[in-house]
Amino acid sequence: MTLDTARGDSDGPDRRDRSFLFVLGSSRSDGNTEILARAAAAQLPSSVPQRWLDLNDLPLPDFQDGRHETAEWPAGETEELLRRATVEATDIVIASPLYWYTLSAQTKRYLDYWSGWLNVPASDFKERMAGGTLWGVTAMSDDDHAVADGLVTALNHSAAYLRMRFGGVLTGTASRPGRVRADEQAMLRAKTFFRNEPPLARFR
């Protein structure tokens, strides 16, 4: 089933109107991960909206877990912008370079806030995320992409917990700015990365 095919889903909202949110979690703009993500995004139908948010431009304080406290943690403007963008998208693409075999600090902080959005009184965050699709894009210096297994597992399990679909992670090799373009296999995979509808994520 392709992105152009209309589909209703009992596990979540109707997916006929697709919209992609790309969350950039690199410490530099126009990095290899972003280049790879944009190469994949260029293959999406022009009718599918894309929104790009760079976490460097949307700084968040460290997440405060207030589940067992009486006082509510007030949501700031940046947090609310990210929350709305997250729940309004049908497809979320986490574009994070591989840092120490996992997600970047910026990306992990953003995902930590998902925990808070789950626990806001009367929150429908989990219900709104269910049936959506989570994707990943990462660039690394190693030719052996198995070193990214930790990042892949983190995203897969996050999707499984929220009853989302998981489209996998598009990986590329690059150690210097712009070098991912020389990874012919990665650029080739980018052309078809978003083509099919992934299955519901399962815990491994």
Side-chain angles (χ1 to χ4, degrees):
M1 186 175 296
T2 68
L3 286 171
D4 294 313
T5 304
R7 178 181 63 83
D9 196 314
S10 60
D11 288 319
D14 193 324
R15 317 308 294 169
R16 286 176 293 184
D17 297 321
R18 307 297 291 268
S19 61
F20 276 67
L21 171 66
F22 290 82
V23 180
L24 303 177
S26 176
S27 60
R28 67 165 67 96
S29 60
D30 301 318
N32 286 301
T33 297
E34 181 177 348
I35 291 171
L36 191 56
R38 291 192 181 277
Q43 311 304 315
L44 289 170
S46 59
S47 59
V48 176
Q50 299 179 26
R51 185 175 186 181
W52 294 75
L53 294 178
D54 189 335
L55 294 176
N56 283 327
D57 298 331
L58 299 166
L60 287 168
D62 287 339
F63 174 66
Q64 302 280 333
D65 188 348
R67 284 177 293 176
H68 305 294
E69 300 177 10
T70 55
E72 291 187 14
W73 182 266
E77 183 177 344
T78 296
E79 178 185 348
E80 182 59 17
L81 183 154
L82 285 168
R83 186 194 68 81
R84 282 185 168 275
T86 300
V87 298
E88 289 172 359
T90 63
D91 295 73
I92 299 171
V93 185
I94 302 296
S96 168
L98 188 71
Y99 289 148
W100 287 106
Y101 311 108
T102 189
L103 300 158
S104 69
Q106 298 96 316
T107 307
K108 181 60 168 61
R109 185 179 295 111
Y110 161 68
L111 292 176
D112 284 348
Y113 271 81
W114 287 20
S115 300
W117 301 336
L118 281 167
N119 293 288
V120 173
S123 170
D124 62 352
F125 182 75
K126 192 169 187 178
E127 289 74 15
R128 294 186 68 173
M129 297 295 283
T133 304
L134 186 65
W135 312 78
V137 180
T138 189
M140 66 200 79
S141 59
D142 204 304
D143 290 324
D144 182 0
H145 292 186
V147 301
D149 284 353
L151 182 151
V152 175
T153 297
L155 293 181
N156 176 78
H157 285 10
S158 298
Y161 177 75
L162 292 170
R163 293 184 287 120
M164 299 178 71
R165 300 175 183 276
F166 182 53
V169 177
L170 174 61
T171 58
T173 299
S175 58
R176 299 179 66 85
R179 290 296 295 169
V180 76
R181 295 188 181 95
D183 186 340
E184 295 180 359
Q185 290 302 311
M187 301 306 288
L188 187 62
R189 289 192 297 270
K191 292 182 179 297
T192 59
F193 185 54
F194 295 127
R195 178 168 295 177
N196 296 318
E197 181 78 8
L200 288 172
R202 304 294 184 195
F203 290 109
R204 299 176 179 177

